Amino acid sequence: MERLYTIREVMDILQLSHTTVYAMCQNGQLPSCKIGGSIRIPQESLRNFILNNTTGGQ
């Protein structure tokens, strides 16, 4: 089973505010699902977001 991250965990990983991560989930920029009233972000969604929004480097 794929790991699901909470908003707080994604905040820590991406070093973003709660408002920013929540907005990214709401507008579909960071695909998520709602489980029991809580937003969860699948590991693959987070991975794809990072890969698609990384610039520079090798």
Side-chain angles (χ1 to χ4, degrees), residues 54-58:
T54 301
T55 58
Q58 293 182 335

Side-chain angles (χ1 to χ4, degrees), residues 18-47:
H18 180 275
T19 304
T20 301
V21 174
Y22 184 79
M24 289 167 49
C25 291
Q26 293 296 68
N27 69 23
Q29 190 177 7
L30 183 57
S32 60
C33 57
K34 202 167 192 178
I35 300 175
S38 297
I39 295 175
R40 296 290 187 254
I41 298 93
Q43 183 176 18
E44 189 66 20
S45 294
L46 181 58
R47 182 179 181 278

